[in-house]
Amino acid sequence: MQKNMIAVLRRVGVALLLSTAALAAQAMEDESIYSYTLIETGAGKARGQPGSVQSLAIDGWVGGDFNRLWYQFDAERRGGRTETAELQLLYGRYIMQFWDAQIGLRRDERPDGRDYLALGVRGLAPYAFDIDLKLFVRDDGKVFARTRFENEFLITNRFIVTPSLGLEWSMSDVDATVRRGAYQADLGVQARYEFNRRVAPYVSLSRTLYPSAKTGGDSATTQFQAGLRLLF
């Protein structure tokens, strides 16, 4: 059953990407095409854990005012080993001012190769909150959700502080140690200095909690990183 589910999901995903690409190409005939890519790469240390931590995050889109191809990539290495690697490819359609509806695929290469159908909305809420809401249907039928909130505060025109909150949700028990509900919370703050809009070194502090973990599950971790932010 699981193999059938994977095959169906992949066929649906390929058809979805081809059809949305064709739709986007047709719809963008009268639009100017723009692009935006944000790259953040850093290295640091997790408190109480051996080895260093390296991370790479890419977030961006290409398209016009109404139709866009969104892409997101996140990876993390600890002690020289890649622990997480996730790629999302999404078709985004303008639905209201500052908001896009999104549909596409998510692929997790690490910790284990899994495929997801992704649905969501992303945009800018009042008071300049950047909000990303996603629903994921995994290839085995399990349903997950992700909510992320971020805001920027200008201390000066070049020194910027960005707090963030991310929550991971599951509609069923994740494994033997993690129950359904909000099973992971990531609280962070990043401080950067922009030499210009395209290049900015940063330092960040984050805390990861596991509110639904049973005895023997993951424990909370605190992590410090320094890195570079590039905007294209």
Side-chain angles (χ1 to χ4, degrees), residues 4 7 19 22-23 37 40 65 89 104 118 123 141-142 150 212 214 216:
N4 291 336
S19 62
L23 175 62
T37 301
E40 292 185 345
D65 294 329
L89 291 175
K142 289 191 175 182
E150 185 178 286
S212 297
K214 302 177 183 178

Side-chain angles (χ1 to χ4, degrees), residues 42-46 49 51-55 76-79 223 225:
K45 180 75 174 177
Q49 296 184 7
S52 62
V53 178
Q54 298 87 39
S55 66
E76 187 171 271
R77 291 173 60 87
R78 292 177 185 268
Q223 185 169 294
Q225 281 198 346

Side-chain angles (χ1 to χ4, degrees), residues 44-49 53 78 187 204-210 219-225:
K45 180 75 174 177
R47 183 179 179 183
Q49 296 184 7
V53 178
R78 292 177 185 268
L187 297 88
S204 66
L205 181 66
S206 63
R207 176 76 169 170
T208 301
L209 306 171
Y210 302 93
S219 56
T221 58
T222 301
Q223 185 169 294
F224 171 82
Q225 281 198 346

